[in-house]
Amino acid sequence: MKRVTLIVLDSLGIGELADAESYGDKGADTLGHIADHMESFHIPNLKKLGFGNIQGAAGGRFAVESPAGAFGKLKEKSKGKDTITGHWEIAGLYTEIPFKTYPDGFPAKFMKAYEQAIGMETLGNYAASGTEIIEELGPEHEATGKPIVYTSADSVFQIAANTAVIPLEKLYEICETARKMLVGDVACGRVIARPYIIDENGKRVRTSERRDYAVSPSGKTVLDKVEATGKTVYAIGKISDIFNGKGVTESVHTESNMDGVNKTIDALNQNFEGFIFTN
């Protein structure tokens, strides 16, 4: 059987690249910092494959004498550091002009036009952690019905809402409106719906009904080329959203990291030729 399985481990960085300072990442060492702060951090299978032998990976703490796999470190060619740019390059598509980011929030003129389009005012409009902002602005959102808008280091326009206040379909609808409007001078890579609930302990918890609305790839990717041969491109998690469905023949939604692992194993046990791409 001829099949490639590509698994992306989100945010598991192994040290800065030469251009780290351009993105505010000087001194970055995610793997090393995780190892510093988690005594129970064990990665036996990744170690066996040679993950810890990659130059710069946690200072060599996870290196083994005889790795079972091939390993290496690649430097991104594209401009930008966001999710779409990285995944598109993995699939063979170079991005020369980076997607715009909004560290100071989206322009007031755009926000006014957006609020008029959806018929409601919004809260937030600044860069924030998704889990923190729903705690900060959740009470006001729940009292007023105003959706929470925020961004991050990526080119994203995220809308968070308690589904008891703004039903899921309405949240998707206002995200679709944002996707149509975020073009031209206010172009944005992704619009993301971030629904949440209040659980039995009174904690605000994001649900698995997240939905990403991405721009379509600017050219052909490996996914398109595999699809063109009549083989399967099996996308797991948010992969189909990142490529806006382009080149994907089958896709499955995931509810958690472990669910993603289980659905990847399910895909591996299926009998088809092609490409499994999981995130």
Side-chain angles (χ1 to χ4, degrees):
M1 181 183 295
K2 296 178 180 179
R3 187 166 63 190
V4 171
T5 302
L6 177 58
I7 301 174
V8 177
L9 303 181
D10 262 358
S11 300
L12 187 57
I14 56 170
E16 66 181 28
L17 289 176
D19 61 354
E21 196 163 6
S22 300
Y23 300 101
D25 289 339
K26 189 69 177 173
D29 180 20
T30 306
L31 177 64
H33 294 151
I34 292 171
D36 288 340
H37 292 90
M38 291 185 65
E39 292 182 7
S40 60
F41 184 65
H42 300 296
I43 49 172
N45 292 317
L46 286 173
K47 284 173 63 175
K48 187 185 299 181
L49 288 169
F51 182 57
N53 292 67
I54 299 172
Q55 185 177 2
R61 276 178 278 179
F62 299 104
V64 295
E65 284 193 13
S66 301
F71 57 88
K73 183 175 182 178
L74 302 178
K75 176 184 176 183
E76 189 177 39
K77 182 180 179 182
S78 296
K79 304 295 191 299
K81 58 165 283 184
D82 56 282
T83 295
I84 289 181
T85 299
H87 281 74
W88 285 4
E89 183 163 320
I90 288 170
L93 186 62
Y94 170 52
T95 301
E96 188 170 0
I97 300 173
F99 289 102
K100 292 178 70 172
T101 56
Y102 297 88
D104 299 317
F106 289 81
K109 183 178 178 181
F110 168 79
M111 291 305 301
K112 183 177 180 179
Y114 176 64
E115 289 175 345
Q116 289 176 343
I118 64 173
M120 62 181 87
E121 294 180 354
T122 61
L123 302 173
N125 188 29
Y126 52 82
S129 155
T131 53
E132 291 176 2
I133 201 168
I134 60 175
E135 291 300 327
E136 286 177 22
L137 299 181
E140 186 177 356
H141 156 64
E142 290 144 18
T144 64
K146 299 175 183 178
I148 300 167
V149 171
Y150 65 104
T151 187
S152 72
D154 273 15
S155 180
V156 290
F157 184 91
Q158 304 189 81
I159 308 175
N162 184 330
T163 53
V165 176
I166 297 179
L168 199 58
E169 290 308 315
K170 181 63 176 177
L171 175 59
Y172 292 158
E173 180 185 312
I174 64 176
C175 285
E176 289 165 8
T177 299
R179 177 67 281 167
K180 291 173 184 174
M181 295 178 67
L182 285 164
V183 295
D185 291 341
V186 285
C188 183
R190 283 182 298 161
V191 174
I192 306 178
R194 290 288 197 173
Y196 74 88
I197 60 170
I198 298 179
D199 68 11
E200 62 275 9
N201 298 315
K203 184 172 177 58
R204 293 176 179 84
V205 180
R206 297 195 294 187
T207 73
S208 61
E209 286 95 0
R210 162 186 171 157
R211 186 172 291 181
D212 293 43
Y213 301 84
V215 294
S216 292
S218 56
K220 289 191 180 298
T221 69
V222 169
L223 282 66
D224 297 299
K225 293 178 180 179
V226 174
E227 181 191 30
T229 67
K231 293 181 169 58
T232 299
V233 177
Y234 196 99
I236 301 171
K238 64 176 183 281
I239 294 299
S240 185
D241 290 337
I242 291 170
F243 289 86
N244 205 20
K246 197 167 179 287
V248 174
T249 60
E250 295 183 44
S251 65
V252 290
H253 176 70
T254 56
E255 298 185 359
S256 64
N257 288 336
M258 200 62 233
D259 186 44
V261 171
N262 291 334
K263 284 178 176 170
T264 301
I265 293 171
D266 288 343
L268 290 169
N269 288 327
Q270 293 182 38
N271 186 25
F272 64 82
E273 291 188 356
F275 187 27
I276 299 172
F277 198 171
T278 180
N279 181 247

